[in-house]
Amino acid sequence: MTPDHPALHWSDASVTLGQRTLFRHVNLTIPTGSFVAILGPNGVGKSTLMKTILGLQHLSEGSVSVFGGSPEEARPLIGYLPQRHHFESSVSISGRDLVRLGLDGDRWGMPLPFANKFSASARAKSAQVAEVLEQVGATSYADRSVGACSGGEQQRLLIAQALVRRPQLLVLDEPLDSLDLPNQVAVAELIATISNVHGVTVLLVAHDVNPILSHLDQVVYLAHGGVLTGSPKEVITSENLSALYDTPVDVLTTSTGRLVVVGQPDAHGGHHPHLGHGNHHGHAG
Amino acid sequence: MSSPVVSLNPWTDLSTMWSYPYLRNALIAGSIVAIIAASVGWMMVQRRQSFLGHTLAVVSFPGASLALLFALPASVGYYGATVIAALIARQSSDAQTADDRQSNATIGTVQAVALATGLLVISRSSSFLTSTTSLLFGSFLGITSNEVLLIAVVGVVTGVVFIAIARPLLLATFDATEATAMGIPVAALNVVFAVLLACVVAATSQITGALLVFALLVMPGATAQILTPKVWKGCAISVGLGLGILWLGIGLSFYLPRLPLGFCVTSVGFFAYLVSHVLVALRSRPHLQGNVA
């Protein structure tokens, strides 16, 4: 786990689930400190690729290293935000308590009452939670019930939960999903700040690339069982995307030099038989 | 019993109640049950497993009547039936999540069969007619010292297990994937909690009867969640409310003998639930005005 090691390195990695090969012979390196998005149609194994980092999905071939070690060894260095839809309004837990569970929720036993009054380590943990809430701008609603918070507020709280152990790698599964446009932009900026200012390596999975495109150092396109990677300008071209999605996709450059992807079939990859969606049809991809 | 008179001095009234041995048993056993039911029930409400809790309560009725039919202690039937039903329900759910919605049809089926079995058992024997009411709606006259001892043992064991697993279980409730990634054995915890809930429901059934278990299991936790979003404070409030509901309920039923215990306990619980809604509504009003101003 020295600085010489890249944050992530997949070597000849393949994952087969039953009859279905999600991806095979993937070679991919993510440098430390970069902000990277894994993109691609639904069902190609974006989340699965991410789970191999967390030790939640084993490779059928090849290897993956995280800061030079195994996923299990690197686990304390990783903050993870799973894909989710939002909390129902009846959920009764404060944002502060939710973030605190991300810090010490794996400890057995109930926390002692009034621990902050007599325990310095309890006070330190409370301070750590307060600091991360401030960092994501959630302090003003942290003591409200999560169910009463908006989608954008809930997502900030969940990012705070993933950040609370001060990870070196932040892994986010569809963090912009189910947010409205202003919140997508705001949360994307927050994640970019975490990467740029705090030096955290960020890996996120997305199916809509536009809100994050201007912040990314590297994109990884996953489709047809293989990967295409590089800087956004290299990878995100009409030719590449049209081939990957098997449907015409345009990439435009705005007057301010931003890339915009148009015509991306974002949630409907299943309509394209060539992409081999074994989850619907049961054949190999 | 001679009809007791309320002195309106809480201390005198309590001493009067305490002087009756059967009532002392009811207060001791009831307090233990109130504490574990309020804390485990609070977790059950957080986990959205109230339907499972209700089914376990219903299942305790045929369990206890079957035990009586075979001349076994009722407690064998209570605990046996609820634990078996909890394991069946868990078996048909997704191992990784608390969510029992997928298995609701199975749970509902178990519930119907359980009630029908109870009906069959009591219809085979006329001598059950008196005990049927107490099996369904509770009675505090019948608690023997041996039953108090059993409830105390169950109370200590379930209490210790609950305190040990509460924090990782709560994390697994809100985020099973994250919990798994943090190394928490989520599937095992889900099974442990289902069995824990079964034991608590069985113990509670002995006091409140099968159908009014929810007075001590759901009402304190649901009320606490209305009052605060802070989780551990909510759990403590739930336990306080559970004890309050039980003691006030037993007191009411003692001094107003025409009112059955189950009705008294449940009414007090419902009153607390209503009052907490009103309190929260009142508390949030000036807050809203302040924001507008």
Side-chain angles (χ1 to χ4, degrees):
Chain A
M1 309 206 183
T2 58
D4 317 336
H5 290 290
L8 294 165
H9 180 67
W10 285 268
S11 161
D12 208 25
S14 306
V15 166
T16 305
L17 298 174
Q19 292 288 300
R20 189 159 82 105
T21 301
L22 282 172
F23 47 84
R24 62 167 68 103
H25 308 307
V26 166
N27 288 291
L28 182 61
T29 303
I30 309 287
T32 299
S34 52
F35 183 6
V36 182
I38 305 179
L39 307 167
N42 282 353
V44 292
K46 295 182 303 243
S47 295
T48 308
L49 181 66
M50 213 161 66
K51 283 180 179 163
T52 62
I53 308 167
L54 301 161
L56 296 174
Q57 172 67 54
H58 291 289
L59 295 169
S60 37
E61 267 180 84
S63 66
V64 57
S65 73
V66 186
F67 297 110
S70 72
E72 286 75 20
E73 287 165 353
R75 186 54 219 162
L77 306 174
I78 307 175
Y80 172 49
L81 174 59
Q83 184 175 14
R84 78 169 312 138
H85 305 290
H86 67 81
F87 291 100
E88 289 168 46
S89 62
S90 60
V91 169
S92 175
I93 178 173
S94 72
R96 195 179 298 277
D97 284 346
L98 190 71
V99 173
R100 181 62 178 259
L101 281 178
L103 183 60
D104 60 7
D106 57 342
R107 287 185 54 185
W108 300 96
M110 235 185 235
L112 293 168
F114 311 110
N116 278 2
K117 293 210 167 57
F118 55 79
S119 157
S121 83
R123 276 195 297 275
K125 281 180 181 163
S126 296
Q128 203 172 331
V129 169
E131 187 188 308
V132 75
L133 285 168
E134 189 65 41
Q135 191 184 339
V136 302
T139 307
S140 62
Y141 47 86
D143 293 304
R144 228 191 288 159
S145 178
V146 171
C149 291
S150 73
E153 290 170 342
Q154 291 182 0
Q155 197 60 298
R156 282 164 190 272
L157 289 168
L158 289 167
I159 290 172
Q161 191 192 37
L163 276 178
V164 71
R165 292 187 168 202
R166 299 192 182 120
Q168 293 177 29
L169 171 66
L170 187 59
V171 178
L172 310 157
D173 198 349
E174 302 274 14
L176 306 180
D177 219 28
S178 76
L179 294 183
D180 57 20
L181 202 57
N183 271 311
Q184 286 192 359
V185 173
V187 170
E189 265 167 28
L190 169 66
I191 297 168
T193 309
I194 291 163
S195 173
N196 298 334
V197 178
H198 302 274
V200 177
T201 309
V202 176
L203 183 70
L204 64 78
V205 162
H207 62 252
D208 181 12
V209 61
N210 287 320
I212 46 168
L213 199 47
S214 58
H215 302 293
L216 292 174
D217 299 315
Q218 186 183 347
V219 292
V220 176
Y221 257 100
L222 196 59
H224 300 296
V227 293
L228 187 61
T229 184
S231 72
K233 278 211 161 58
E234 289 163 12
V235 175
I236 300 184
T237 62
S238 296
E239 297 75 46
N240 280 343
L241 296 194
S242 299
L244 279 168
Y245 284 95
D246 212 17
T247 194
V249 176
D250 287 316
V251 178
L252 311 175
T253 309
T254 65
S255 54
T256 53
R258 280 185 54 186
L259 293 176
V260 180
V261 179
V262 183
Q264 183 185 358
D266 73 15
H268 307 291
H271 295 306
H272 305 279
H274 289 105
L275 290 173
H277 281 258
N279 52 344
H280 300 304
H281 310 294
H283 59 72
Chain B
M1 72 186 159
S2 61
S3 170
V5 180
V6 197
S7 70
L8 289 179
N9 175 344
W11 182 246
T12 323
D13 290 340
L14 274 180
S15 324
T16 313
M17 286 164 70
W18 199 253
S19 65
Y20 292 84
Y22 75 91
L23 209 48
R24 206 179 304 156
N25 279 350
L27 286 170
I28 295 170
S31 300
I32 297 167
V33 161
I35 291 170
I36 56 171
S39 47
V40 172
W42 168 85
M43 183 67 86
M44 177 189 78
V45 174
Q46 287 281 16
R47 291 168 62 79
R48 310 257 175 292
Q49 285 185 311
S50 296
F51 190 58
L52 174 64
H54 182 245
T55 304
L56 296 178
V58 168
V59 162
S60 73
F61 161 63
S65 40
L66 268 175
L68 291 178
L69 185 67
F70 291 107
L72 292 164
S75 46
V76 172
Y78 278 124
Y79 291 98
T82 55
V83 170
I84 290 169
L87 290 174
I88 292 173
R90 198 57 246 169
Q91 194 61 43
S92 59
S93 313
D94 182 349
Q96 289 301 314
T97 63
D99 200 342
D100 288 312
R101 266 174 289 191
Q102 307 144 307
S103 61
N104 270 359
T106 314
I107 296 179
T109 308
V110 170
Q111 202 173 95
V113 172
L115 270 181
T117 309
L119 176 65
L120 176 69
V121 173
I122 55 175
S123 71
R124 305 315 298 163
S125 164
S126 54
S127 69
F128 280 132
L129 284 177
T130 45
S131 59
T132 304
T133 315
S134 70
L135 287 180
L136 287 175
F137 296 105
S139 158
F140 62 140
L141 298 171
I143 299 166
T144 65
S145 296
N146 276 340
E147 281 169 334
V148 174
L149 189 66
L150 177 64
I151 285 176
V153 171
V154 170
V156 169
V157 173
T158 53
V160 167
V161 172
F162 178 75
I163 287 172
I165 68 171
R167 183 161 31 181
L169 189 64
L170 199 63
L171 176 62
T173 299
F174 289 112
D175 215 325
T177 320
E178 165 72 7
T180 309
M182 280 167 85
I184 296 168
V186 176
L189 276 187
N190 285 339
V191 175
V192 171
F193 183 73
V195 172
L196 195 66
L197 184 60
C199 293
V200 169
V201 166
T204 312
S205 293
Q206 287 184 280
I207 306 287
T208 62
L211 295 185
L212 296 177
V213 162
F214 265 31
L216 293 179
L217 196 67
V218 169
M219 282 177 171
T223 308
Q225 287 197 9
I226 294 165
L227 291 173
T228 177
K230 295 200 183 310
V231 284
W232 305 115
K233 188 178 164 190
C235 190
I237 290 176
S238 178
V239 169
L241 282 170
L243 282 171
I245 289 169
L246 181 96
W247 283 67
L248 264 176
I250 288 184
L252 272 182
S253 141
F254 177 68
Y255 287 105
L256 305 168
R258 281 157 183 271
L259 299 181
L261 174 70
F263 175 79
C264 291
V265 169
T266 310
S267 303
V268 174
F270 184 56
F271 184 70
Y273 184 74
L274 282 184
V275 167
S276 68
H277 265 296
V278 172
L279 277 179
V280 168
L282 287 178
R283 198 166 56 186
S284 60
R285 270 183 79 193
H287 171 70
L288 283 178
Q289 285 163 355
N291 276 355
V292 171

